[in-house]
Amino acid sequence: MFRTALRNVLAHKARLLMTVLAVMLGVAFVSGTLVFTNTISNAFQNSSAKGFDQVDVAVRAKSQDDKGDTVGKTPELTQAMLDTSAKVPGAASATGVVNGFTAIADKNGKLIGGGFQSEGGNYWGAKDARYPLKSGTAPHGSGEVAIDSETAKRAGYKVGDTVRLSVDGPVLSPRITGIFTTDDGNVAAGGSLALFDTATAQKLFGKAGTYDEIDVKAAAGTSQAALKSALDQALPKGQTETTTAKKLADDQAETIASSMSGLKSGLLVFAGIALFVGTFIIANTFTMLVAQRTKELALLRAVGASRRQVTRSVLLEAFVVGAVAAVAGLVAGIGIGAGLRALMGTIGATVPDGPLIITSGTVLSALAVGILITMLAAWLPGRRAAKIPPVAAMSSVHATATTKSLVLRNTLGALFSGAGVAVVIAATSMNGSDGQAPMGIGAVLLIIGVFILTPLLSRPLIAAAAPALRIFGISGKLARQNSVRNPRRTAATASALMIGLTLITGMTVMAGSLQQAIDKMASSAISADYIVSMANGNQLSPDVDKTLTTTSGITASSPLRNAPSRIDGTTEFLTGVNGSAIGKLTDLKVDSGTFKVAGSQVVVDDDTAKSHGWKAGSTFTTHYEDGKAQQLTVSAVYEGNALISGIMLDNATLSPHQTDPADMQILVKTADGASSSTKDKLEKALGSNPAVKVQDKKDLSNSIAQVFTLILNMVYGLLAMAVIVAVLGVINTLAMSVFERSQEIGMLRAIGLDRKGIKRMVRLESLVISLFGGVLGIGLGVFFGWAAGELIGAKMSTYELVIPWARMALFLLLAGTVGVLAALWPARRAAKLNMLSAIKSE
């Protein structure tokens, strides 16, 4: 039986090629994902570990109490603490670290890096071991700066050039005195780093005489643990916390691994989809191979082979095919991993240098996935073949499905589909997070149910195409009959395409609906023409608001200022606004009371009011960050949203309790409304500052939706793998179907159907099957998009279902194109058959 199985594999090399390709693509995706994420993770971890070479213990201000609360003024790391740290037993040196956001503009005035990755800091002394100088000298005074070599390379800067940059105030134009190298992870990821001398950095970042961190280097023979203990004894209790470099490196490695875990999981989900789709192809291939060898298997049974031996022979074939595909997929996956890493460099996402990581886990995963998936898909056809009695198998090449098996299949499919629909609909009525798991389970049940029911659905849906097929005469009629002759085969072929289009359509429906919801939210909640904010999402200097209020053409403005407080024993963030102007800048729906923000009167969003049991007229006591308490009155409860929510009070009331007031955003209304000229005017008033963004409502909604668009584009790219596998499935099915129907095709040629008619018949058959899968996929995708939208709508009042008709038509066209392209080779092969040889074939 072993020799028989190997001979069968060698005898059907061409027919098994598509199966090998399908499995190989799925395995390549899995192994490529593991190689890519392991390589990137290892590179960042090694880079991050190098960043701690110049520190053994880090001292930071203790920002939380024992309960984890952050209310109250954070202690400062003073010069005295730095001096004390340098003198503790076992300390070789101590470095004061200052850092903050610093936006660097390129030579065209555009921000370098991704905003949040644009950092600034201090260069310690004349030679800072943390930042080895590649050229030039250390910066001295407010007119000098040093920048990292990657930023200098990207922007074309060199020592002696003047660079425009901003911290949180006016644009500065210091001279570049030095270019340094660094292992900073942000720079490695495409960000920028600017360094000033310590006094200048402290002044720019509002930390005069203080530090963000003190890095202490241990003397020879002193362990990190011993140095940490000495620092804990020497520094003021309750004001500082110390951490060893080993702990910092371990935490950083864990953070990197955690962030890569999300990417890895996402990529593996799509790899799983590709493999799931490939399973249909494998099962389809082995079903047809077994059907074509029914007499052969019956003869083996007649000469003494048992059912188990027949099943094992089919599984052995699957093992050989799976092993070949897995090895090929692993090799291709290593190439994909290396290619993805190189691709990151071309799109500006710099990655630290490091070797390509191919772990034993990656190799074992690739082999296990390829072999197990193939054997699992081949098990049912093998078992089915072994159960056919030898005499019955010898008398008929094809064993038709019994009425009992069809009834059982349709009943099972109806139960799965009904359960899936019921669970998905039930999930839509749940809270957003609570409904995610049930909806996922319901979606899986429904897809399985529809797959089981696909043979039943194929007849009426394909019959609906009969009027269009009549245009093509006898070829169209034969194509329709061939499509429904073997419903199970048609179902397995169409299902591969169905799953890919289900996911693509569902994501498109959600993305379109979210975009409209965000647009509505921005237009309905905000009356302001512009929103001014920092490029990195950090706080704006109060000077920005002062500049805007003195700019001509501005009719109203209000900063949105966040501040922590204690209310009813819990931390609650307050939003300070310009009480007299906020009503003109927002258009919030008031549920109760009168919208008034002045003195001790505040407005509260509905969720916060509900959590505290407040209503219009309620009073509560808040404890500000300076420790002082005040009683506030709720003048109105408004309907909050993702853009504006929380407790709003007048800045005149809030600011006296803040040590360092700063604004998150500034809402601006102008006399001329939103226009490109007005936007240019505001940007120039702010000094064309690369650190500050000026956005109108459309810009704001687009920036929020950009995340969803990026995810959607990634989904399209990743699901292309599933579509490619589906194309291979259609080609495989048609090729084997043509081989199986050789005698029939020969008879058609003999009675007058020419080669063009044969080609047309096979192409139309492929087109009908692909469109059938496309219709099912688009229908399921719209249903899942609606269901997921119901969960989102619970948290986003402006969410409404948007059906992307144009995109859906494009997807249906894609399905048809898949069918036409997949049929090219099988149709050509069918037309080339010698009619006499075909008639004599069995």
Side-chain angles (χ1 to χ4, degrees):
M1 295 302 292
F2 177 77
R3 288 197 298 271
T4 301
L6 289 180
R7 284 171 182 166
N8 282 325
V9 171
L10 295 174
H12 302 108
K13 294 189 292 292
R15 276 177 265 171
L16 290 169
L17 177 61
M18 296 300 175
T19 299
V20 170
L21 286 173
V23 179
M24 186 194 78
L25 283 172
V27 172
F29 209 158
V30 171
S31 55
T33 295
L34 295 175
V35 169
F36 172 66
T37 52
N38 288 338
T39 297
I40 298 300
S41 181
N42 181 74
F44 275 113
Q45 285 178 18
N46 288 343
S47 175
S48 131
K50 287 179 185 177
F52 297 113
D53 287 347
Q54 301 303 318
V55 55
D56 286 303
V57 178
V59 180
R60 294 171 179 168
K62 194 169 185 179
S63 58
Q64 295 181 334
D65 59 23
D66 294 335
K67 296 180 181 179
D69 292 324
T70 57
V71 175
K73 188 176 184 299
T74 301
E76 294 177 333
L77 297 180
T78 62
Q79 184 64 40
M81 292 180 183
L82 175 63
D83 295 339
T84 300
S85 299
K87 294 175 182 177
V88 298
S93 63
T95 302
V97 178
V98 183
N99 52 51
F101 172 69
T102 301
I104 303 178
D106 60 20
K107 292 185 176 181
N108 296 318
K110 302 297 182 182
L111 177 67
I112 297 174
F116 66 94
Q117 297 169 331
S118 302
E119 294 293 328
N122 67 312
Y123 193 93
W124 190 255
K127 190 175 182 181
D128 194 329
R130 299 172 300 167
Y131 308 111
L133 284 169
K134 190 174 180 180
S135 60
T137 59
H140 293 287
S142 58
E144 297 184 355
V145 68
I147 63 173
D148 68 273
S149 56
E150 289 298 325
T151 297
K153 182 180 177 182
R154 285 197 298 270
Y157 285 128
K158 60 184 184 296
V159 173
D161 287 347
T162 298
V163 60
R164 296 179 75 253
L165 55 82
S166 173
V167 177
D168 65 352
V171 175
L172 306 174
S173 299
R175 184 174 63 87
I176 299 173
T177 62
I179 294 175
F180 59 88
T181 59
T182 177
D183 293 312
D184 187 281
N186 283 330
V187 173
S192 62
L193 179 62
L195 299 179
F196 311 91
D197 68 28
T198 300
T200 301
Q202 288 175 324
K203 180 180 178 182
L204 288 174
F205 301 131
K207 299 160 186 173
T210 64
Y211 302 94
D212 292 294
E213 182 175 305
I214 297 172
D215 291 343
V216 186
K217 186 74 176 170
T222 303
S223 68
Q224 292 183 356
L227 180 59
K228 179 181 183 302
S229 177
L231 287 165
D232 287 337
Q233 293 293 324
L235 293 170
K237 299 288 187 274
Q239 295 185 40
T240 60
E241 52 188 3
T242 57
T243 312
T244 63
K246 184 179 183 308
K247 178 70 165 55
L248 289 172
D250 290 344
D251 290 346
Q252 185 82 340
E254 187 177 338
T255 301
I256 293 169
S258 176
S259 63
M260 294 306 297
S261 175
L263 175 62
K264 183 186 293 186
S265 299
L267 291 173
L268 287 176
V269 165
F270 292 103
I273 292 167
L275 285 168
F276 186 55
V277 172
T279 302
F280 295 124
I281 300 172
I282 301 163
N284 218 9
T285 302
F286 277 94
T287 298
M288 289 194 289
L289 283 175
V290 168
Q292 291 167 12
R293 289 162 40 208
T294 304
K295 283 188 177 181
E296 176 190 324
L297 295 175
L299 183 60
L300 289 173
R301 289 287 312 281
V303 297
S306 66
R307 286 186 177 181
R308 286 186 178 179
Q309 284 180 309
V310 171
T311 303
R312 281 201 295 266
S313 72
V314 176
L315 289 176
L316 185 58
E317 290 180 49
F319 174 82
V320 174
V321 171
V324 171
V327 171
L330 175 61
V331 174
I334 293 171
I336 289 173
L340 285 174
R341 176 176 171 169
L343 180 64
M344 290 188 73
T346 63
I347 62 175
T350 310
V351 179
D353 292 332
L356 200 65
I357 304 299
I358 306 166
T359 65
S360 57
T362 299
V363 176
L364 292 175
S365 297
L367 295 176
V369 165
I371 293 170
L372 289 177
I373 288 291
T374 310
M375 292 183 70
L376 181 65
W379 174 75
L380 191 58
R383 184 171 175 271
R384 189 184 298 134
K387 291 177 73 174
I388 301 173
V391 175
M394 284 185 171
S395 62
S396 176
V397 175
H398 304 293
T400 57
T402 62
T403 304
K404 179 181 178 182
S405 68
L406 290 174
V407 170
L408 177 63
R409 178 177 181 132
N410 293 337
T411 303
L412 194 62
L415 289 174
F416 269 96
S417 299
V421 170
V423 173
V424 168
I425 291 176
T428 60
S429 62
M430 298 180 184
N431 184 35
S433 55
D434 295 337
Q436 290 176 5
M439 184 166 290
I441 294 170
V444 171
L445 290 173
L446 180 54
I447 288 176
I448 293 172
V450 171
F451 169 67
I452 296 172
L453 283 175
T454 307
L456 179 67
L457 297 172
S458 65
R459 291 185 181 275
L461 288 177
I462 291 176
L469 292 174
R470 287 196 190 102
I471 300 171
F472 301 96
I474 191 65
S475 296
K477 182 178 180 181
L478 290 170
R480 183 183 66 79
Q481 291 174 346
N482 289 335
S483 300
V484 296
R485 179 190 296 179
N486 191 332
R488 286 184 174 178
R489 184 185 303 166
T490 297
T493 306
S495 294
L497 193 58
M498 176 192 78
I499 292 170
L501 285 178
T502 295
L503 293 165
I504 290 174
T505 306
M507 290 295 295
T508 303
V509 169
M510 286 178 58
S513 301
L514 278 169
Q515 176 68 67
Q516 180 172 287
I518 294 167
D519 288 345
K520 280 187 176 180
M521 187 187 300
S523 60
S524 63
I526 299 175
S527 304
D529 296 317
Y530 292 99
I531 301 94
V532 180
S533 62
M534 287 288 280
N536 65 336
N538 279 358
Q539 295 178 331
L540 285 161
S541 166
D543 293 337
V544 176
D545 181 48
K546 292 176 183 177
T547 301
L548 289 172
T549 54
T550 58
T551 302
S552 63
I554 292 180
T555 57
S557 69
S558 172
L560 302 182
R561 185 170 296 171
N562 280 4
S565 70
R566 296 280 290 176
I567 300 173
D568 296 336
T570 61
T571 300
E572 199 78 63
F573 278 86
L574 306 173
T575 301
V577 298
N578 182 345
S580 61
I582 192 64
K584 304 172 187 175
L585 298 164
T586 59
D587 189 16
L588 299 168
K589 182 182 177 183
V590 177
D591 292 337
S592 62
T594 303
F595 195 94
K596 185 178 181 181
V597 182
S600 62
Q601 291 185 304
V602 301
V603 294
V604 183
D605 71 287
D606 45 4
D607 287 340
T608 304
K610 184 178 179 181
S611 67
H612 288 280
W614 297 336
K615 57 185 178 182
S618 297
T619 59
F620 62 91
T621 300
T622 183
H623 294 266
Y624 297 109
E625 58 183 303
D626 63 355
K628 295 181 180 178
Q630 182 179 8
Q631 189 177 67
L632 302 175
T633 303
V634 178
S635 64
V637 176
Y638 66 92
E639 193 174 289
N641 54 57
L643 296 178
I644 298 180
S645 61
I647 304 170
M648 286 194 280
L649 75 163
D650 198 342
N651 274 327
T653 304
L654 175 64
S655 297
H657 301 285
Q658 292 184 286
T659 306
D660 187 19
D663 306 324
M664 294 303 296
Q665 294 176 326
I666 301 173
L667 303 181
V668 179
K669 196 169 186 66
T670 62
D672 299 329
S675 66
S676 57
S677 59
T678 304
K679 183 176 180 179
D680 289 342
K681 179 181 177 181
L682 291 178
E683 288 177 341
K684 287 179 181 177
L686 296 172
S688 299
N689 195 324
V692 179
K693 289 192 299 185
V694 178
Q695 297 175 296
D696 59 22
K697 287 184 280 189
K698 188 63 179 175
D699 293 334
L700 180 65
S701 62
N702 286 342
S703 65
I704 297 171
Q706 188 176 14
V707 178
F708 303 109
T709 304
L710 178 63
I711 293 172
L712 185 64
N713 290 335
M714 287 180 62
V715 169
Y716 284 161
L718 294 170
L719 287 178
M721 181 71 75
V723 174
I724 291 170
V725 174
V727 172
L728 293 175
V730 177
I731 296 172
N732 206 19
T733 300
L734 288 174
M736 299 188 75
S737 178
V738 166
F739 176 84
E740 189 178 279
R741 299 188 337 242
S742 295
Q743 189 178 59
E744 175 189 318
I745 291 170
M747 288 295 295
L748 289 170
R749 290 289 314 282
I751 62 175
L753 190 62
D754 60 12
R755 288 186 174 181
K756 285 185 178 180
I758 294 294
K759 283 183 179 180
R760 191 180 299 118
M761 176 188 73
V762 176
R763 287 170 183 165
L764 289 173
E765 181 182 346
S766 175
L767 179 64
V768 167
I769 292 173
S770 297
L771 288 176
F772 168 56
V775 168
L776 286 180
I778 291 170
L780 283 173
V782 170
F783 175 72
F784 289 139
W786 164 80
E790 290 296 300
L791 283 182
I792 297 171
K795 295 289 186 181
M796 189 179 288
S797 59
T798 55
Y799 186 91
E800 289 181 8
L801 180 67
V802 175
I803 305 295
W805 296 107
R807 287 282 182 97
M808 285 163 54
L810 185 63
F811 296 155
L812 201 58
L813 180 63
L814 172 65
T817 305
V818 165
V820 172
L821 294 177
L824 291 177
W825 178 64
R828 188 166 175 270
R829 188 169 181 269
K832 280 189 168 186
L833 284 174
N834 182 288
M835 71 177 72
L836 295 178
S837 300
I839 290 171
K840 289 189 293 181
S841 67
E842 293 187 2

